[in-house]
Amino acid sequence: MSRWLSFARLWALLVKETIQMRRDRVTFAMMIGIPLVQLMLFGFAINTDPKELPAALVAPTQDRFTRAMVGALELTGYYRFVAPDATAAEAEEMISRGDVVFVVTVPSDFGKRVEKGDAPTILIEADATDPSAASGAISTLGTVAQQALQRETGNTSADPAALSVVVHKRYNPEGVTQYNIVPGLLGVILQLTMVMMTAMALTREIERGTMENLLSMPATPLEIMLGKVVPYLGVGAVQVVVVLAAARMIFAVPMMGSLSVILLGIFVFVLALVILGYLISTVARTQMQAMQLTFFFFLPSLMLSGFMFPYRGMPGWAQALGEIFPLTHFLRLIRSVMLKGADVHTVAQSLLALTVFVLMLSLAALMRFRRTLD
Amino acid sequence: MSTPAIEVSELTKRFGERTVVDRVSLSVAKGEIAGFLGPNGSGKTTTIRLMCGLLQPDGGSGRVLGHDILTERGAIKREVGYMTQKFSFYEDLTIEENLSFVAGLYQMRRRREVVRDTLKDLGLWTRRGQLAGSLSGGWKQRLALAACVMHKPRLLMLDEPTAGVDPKARRDFWDEIHRLAADGLTVLVSTHYMDEAERCHRINYISYGTLVAQGTVEEVVRDAGLTTVVVTGEATSEAANKLRGAEGVDQIAPFGNTLHVVGRDGEALRRTVARVAAETGTQVADAETSLEDVFIQLMGDARDNMS
Ligand SMILES: Nc1ncnc2c1ncn2[C@@H]1O[C@H](COP(=O)(O)OP(=O)(O)OP(=O)(O)O)[C@@H](O)[C@H]1O
Ligand SMILES: [Mg+2]
């Protein structure tokens, strides 16, 4: 039994922490409830291949070609023309207000050009606020419109005067699908609950005054840290089982890679999270502060990790910033393994990054830990 | 005599700009019951925390049970039992769970038996499954005390252990303290009760962060150099009015039909009281100065503790 760690003491701390966790009904319910609710909300509500997006049509001459094309577009299910006869100014206002996601502009010489056999042009402006939202709608557009025109002109031959579609929007390389969301959600759920719970655990002792007593007894900083962190690792394990089971059974997310690599990745990630939470609780004075610090960390990591927006679609500085969040590395790892079947060598870099986080955070937490009440 | 259990010198602690403990030197012999007294906010709790290694002093040094308070905190924590002023066990754990937790942290052998014996001694065996938070104030104190002697410490630091405890339990508590001290345990106990101060071997009085009096009760009373007289008779309240603020009179305290009059300048006091007694037809007799008189005098002398 070394100076730093006695198993008898650690055991006493673990038992105490587990009992407290069990007695705190609300928190306990939250630990299981948060994953389920988030999974349902994100999994079902966030539809990254949205249909029936509101659109405005600017077509000064509503000729039969225009009507045919619009009809065909509506048939794809992606577009819903809420303003089928708008002026350019009206349409501009609608898209800026967010009333429509698309503005389809058919120039006044469209019909003439089709009849003359000149290459006609249409313009699509997509609301790029959510760059991933419009990708499905846009990708179908060219072919659908072309086919509609061909039907209408009765010209089925290879058409020299092909329709050209000009799209104004941001490119979105990682087309986010629902498969992409659920594994990412595992990381987000773990991050929220693990960091927050552990961040509160030590601060609670300070707030309730029990820290004075704990510090006056012979427990070492390492024991106190492990005593706080290990029970939450257990909670994390339960959450992982819940989310992975739901991913499989409710969302039918494929599991391409090996489960053991996934679990290894999750373990290192969760370890980094609970230690981060512990670090926060050595800084915060009250539970409220701990909560605020957690969110201060949580929100940017949500934005920059590639969960909300495609990582490769972000500007370079944002990508660099994203690297400092464990979630970024975890998302890379879990998506590669779950969806692309990557093996442990392929994700070695992410695993290494997560391990570095664990080591650095532990060191910082042990250094930050106040052995006194100062 | 062997080395003292507590030997600290020039201990200083500042919170921001305020010096809360100001060059306090204290020595407590082994087996001694040392009382720690002083008005609210005078720095008793802070001094105890410094000696337990719970606060980093801004100046001074010291040894507790032979261990340096700056560098050997671990050893101090193992051998000292500290009872905090505010209840600081886990309110969401049961009485028994709290005791088991403490027993585990001190790596005690035969934990179950120790916990069971402690519960039985306390008279809490049948209530062992009750949450500590649901205990009454006095019972919380008793639980806390039991928990901090469980590991058989060599030194007890008790911060107002009997606040809110009923007289019978207080008596039992002090009997127990004396029993433990007879076996060689050293006790430093802070209190606001005079009767408890009188049950200590020596007392240390701190005011505004400075130690202003120490010694046995007799020494402290003698060193204060106060003269006390008792005024009796029909018109004590009239006498009190005349004495208030008069030359040589520092304190006037009515006790039933009698009046305690205390002053530092004995001659001036006697002169004034004799004059007032003649005017009001009351009688004067010499009296023993009590510890309380001394403390009230000391408090009056000190600057405002709340500033
Ligand atoms: N952590 C702290 N930060 C700032 N000031 C503090 C802190 N702890 C104590 N103080 C101040 O130090 C002074 C001494 O406090 P302390 O608790 O030592 O007094 P005390 O003698 O124990 O009083 P009481 O009899 O009321 O328990 C008080 O004025 C208090 O406000
Ligand atoms: Mg105090």
Side-chain angles (χ1 to χ4, degrees):
Chain A
M1 217 93 58
S2 78
R3 257 179 80 197
W4 305 108
L5 187 65
S6 127
F7 286 102
R9 288 200 299 256
L10 181 56
W11 181 249
L13 286 160
L14 289 177
V15 169
K16 170 226 138 207
E17 199 65 26
T18 315
I19 297 173
Q20 284 187 306
M21 214 151 78
R22 211 181 55 216
R23 294 239 161 94
D24 188 354
R25 289 276 161 73
V26 177
T27 308
F28 199 63
M30 235 161 62
M31 290 177 197
I32 307 299
I34 286 180
L36 280 176
V37 170
Q38 287 215 1
L39 195 62
M40 292 304 151
L41 279 181
F42 279 88
F44 286 121
I46 296 188
N47 186 354
T48 52
D49 188 13
K51 301 255 167 119
E52 298 229 24
L53 293 168
L57 180 66
V58 181
T61 48
Q62 298 249 351
D63 54 32
R64 63 189 178 103
F65 298 110
T66 310
R67 278 196 302 277
M69 204 183 59
V70 168
L73 286 181
E74 287 205 293
L75 270 181
T76 63
Y78 282 113
Y79 299 88
R80 185 162 49 88
F81 285 95
V82 292
D85 193 7
T87 66
E90 283 168 355
E92 176 57 36
E93 208 187 315
M94 287 175 88
I95 196 167
S96 73
R97 263 207 312 269
D99 290 353
V100 296
V101 177
F102 298 104
V103 174
V104 179
T105 305
V106 184
S108 49
D109 61 358
F110 185 78
K112 277 197 219 102
R113 277 174 164 266
V114 176
E115 274 164 349
K116 275 199 285 177
D118 281 348
T121 310
I122 60 171
L123 173 71
I124 305 265
E125 293 162 85
D127 183 354
T129 321
D130 182 355
S132 61
S135 55
I138 286 161
S139 61
T140 59
L141 188 115
T143 35
V144 170
Q146 181 80 56
Q147 282 164 3
L149 277 185
Q150 285 174 347
R151 261 199 313 279
E152 195 59 29
T153 53
N155 180 0
T156 47
S157 63
D159 199 345
L163 170 74
S164 73
V165 179
V166 181
V167 177
H168 284 183
K169 65 141 202 158
R170 257 190 9 228
Y171 184 50
N172 176 359
E174 274 186 44
V176 180
T177 71
Q178 195 169 60
Y179 286 172
N180 209 10
I181 274 268
V182 175
L185 210 50
L186 175 64
V188 172
I189 290 169
L190 284 173
Q191 162 159 303
L192 180 63
T193 49
M194 291 292 98
V195 177
M196 194 159 69
M197 303 291 164
T198 358
M200 310 254 267
L202 194 67
T203 339
R204 191 165 50 221
E205 302 251 6
I206 295 171
E207 221 175 77
R208 293 188 185 165
T210 52
M211 197 64 184
E212 184 176 6
N213 205 355
L214 186 59
L215 286 180
S216 76
M217 293 191 279
T220 65
L222 182 64
E223 288 159 2
I224 294 179
M225 177 164 110
L226 289 177
K228 289 287 175 193
V229 156
V230 172
Y232 290 96
L233 275 182
V235 174
V238 175
Q239 292 186 339
V240 168
V241 171
V242 169
V243 176
L244 284 184
R248 180 108 214 126
M249 292 186 290
I250 304 175
F251 299 103
V253 177
M255 181 82 86
M256 308 295 286
S258 95
L259 187 63
S260 54
V261 178
I262 291 179
L263 291 181
L264 176 68
I266 291 176
F267 176 74
V268 184
F269 176 59
V270 171
L271 202 57
L273 293 179
V274 287
I275 297 172
L276 174 71
Y278 185 78
L279 181 62
I280 290 179
S281 72
T282 62
V283 178
R285 276 275 168 192
T286 62
Q287 294 192 63
M288 191 64 200
Q289 282 180 1
M291 191 96 125
Q292 285 167 339
L293 278 170
T294 305
F295 274 95
F296 178 72
F297 169 82
F298 180 70
L299 291 178
S301 75
L302 211 58
M303 307 289 172
L304 299 178
S305 62
F307 175 73
M308 292 272 245
F309 312 114
Y311 187 77
R312 298 289 163 216
M314 298 193 302
W317 62 266
Q319 293 193 20
L321 207 56
E323 296 280 348
I324 66 167
F325 297 104
L327 183 61
T328 310
H329 301 275
F330 178 71
L331 289 186
R332 253 177 235 163
L333 183 146
I334 189 97
R335 283 177 177 159
S336 304
V337 179
M338 258 179 110
L339 305 174
K340 302 177 194 159
D343 60 10
V344 74
H345 299 292
T346 318
V347 295
Q349 210 187 346
S350 305
L351 265 179
L352 187 70
L354 288 172
T355 313
V356 170
F357 276 116
V358 169
L359 295 179
M360 282 188 341
L361 290 168
S362 314
L363 200 66
L366 284 174
M367 283 187 338
R368 271 290 317 171
F369 181 78
R370 287 178 289 245
R371 286 154 189 269
T372 61
L373 292 168
D374 287 273
Chain B
M1 243 193 119
S2 56
T3 52
I6 300 180
E7 175 91 271
V8 296
S9 72
E10 303 278 303
L11 269 192
T12 302
K13 180 68 188 175
R14 279 184 285 273
F15 288 118
E17 291 290 283
R18 288 189 54 205
T19 305
V20 166
V21 174
D22 197 2
R23 284 167 287 138
V24 166
S25 300
L26 199 73
S27 175
V28 177
K30 283 203 178 110
E32 178 178 304
I33 301 176
F36 201 20
L37 293 104
N40 292 131
S42 53
K44 299 183 296 296
T45 301
T46 309
T47 308
I48 294 178
R49 284 177 178 165
L50 287 170
M51 294 188 299
C52 291
L54 286 176
L55 284 176
Q56 178 81 32
D58 293 310
S61 60
R63 293 190 163 267
V64 167
L65 298 173
H67 308 297
D68 193 301
I69 59 166
L70 295 170
T71 57
E72 294 170 285
R73 296 205 174 107
I76 293 176
K77 286 174 186 183
R78 275 191 295 277
E79 295 177 31
V80 171
Y82 170 45
M83 176 174 166
T84 57
Q85 179 171 2
K86 181 180 168 288
F87 182 73
S88 56
F89 284 89
Y90 298 96
E91 304 216 334
D92 49 356
L93 256 50
T94 66
I95 297 166
E96 187 174 24
E97 286 160 356
N98 267 304
L99 291 178
S100 302
F101 173 63
V102 173
L105 276 197
Y106 284 104
Q107 296 171 277
M108 281 154 61
R109 274 178 279 278
R110 302 186 300 121
R111 270 166 51 191
R112 258 171 223 285
E113 287 151 67
V114 173
V115 170
R116 193 190 57 212
D117 293 345
T118 307
L119 282 168
K120 289 201 165 144
D121 287 348
L122 258 178
L124 282 176
W125 176 248
T126 52
R127 291 161 75 184
R128 62 188 183 278
Q130 189 179 333
L131 290 188
S134 69
L135 284 172
S136 76
W139 276 105
K140 278 184 188 163
Q141 296 291 92
R142 294 166 73 163
L143 170 64
L145 181 70
C148 76
V149 296
M150 210 164 49
H151 66 286
K152 307 249 181 310
R154 289 166 56 207
L155 168 66
L156 270 182
M157 303 237 205
L158 309 173
D159 200 355
E160 297 191 28
T162 55
V165 172
D166 67 49
K168 168 79 168 60
R170 253 174 71 192
R171 174 77 54 87
D172 294 347
F173 164 77
W174 275 94
D175 290 347
E176 174 73 11
I177 293 288
H178 274 273
R179 215 173 8 256
L180 291 168
D183 294 340
L185 182 80
T186 310
V187 183
L188 179 79
V189 52
S190 83
T191 178
H192 289 294
Y193 296 117
M194 289 309 123
D195 58 324
E196 292 188 351
E198 280 161 0
R199 295 195 67 164
C200 296
H201 297 132
R202 281 166 62 85
I203 54 177
N204 302 273
Y205 187 91
I206 187 174
S207 168
Y208 203 68
T210 322
L211 207 59
V212 291
Q214 57 188 136
T216 63
V217 172
E218 292 73 30
E219 283 165 4
V220 169
V221 171
R222 196 185 58 219
D223 292 349
L226 296 179
T227 305
T228 304
V229 294
V230 186
V231 178
T232 51
E234 294 291 303
T236 48
S237 52
E238 192 192 338
N241 286 335
K242 294 199 175 208
L243 285 169
R244 196 154 289 129
E247 197 202 350
V249 177
D250 289 321
Q251 296 176 39
I252 311 163
F255 282 88
N257 293 327
T258 67
L259 206 58
H260 279 232
V261 189
V262 183
R264 257 166 307 187
D265 185 344
E267 264 173 46
L269 177 80
R270 287 212 169 79
R271 231 182 300 125
T272 309
V273 174
R275 177 173 53 78
V276 172
E279 285 168 23
T280 55
T282 46
Q283 288 80 50
V284 184
D286 273 1
E288 292 269 311
T289 303
S290 71
L291 193 58
E292 182 162 310
D293 296 331
V294 175
F295 285 162
I296 296 201
Q297 192 73 30
L298 289 170
M299 283 188 204
D301 292 347
R303 284 169 291 160
D304 180 10
N305 274 312
M306 291 301 293
S307 60

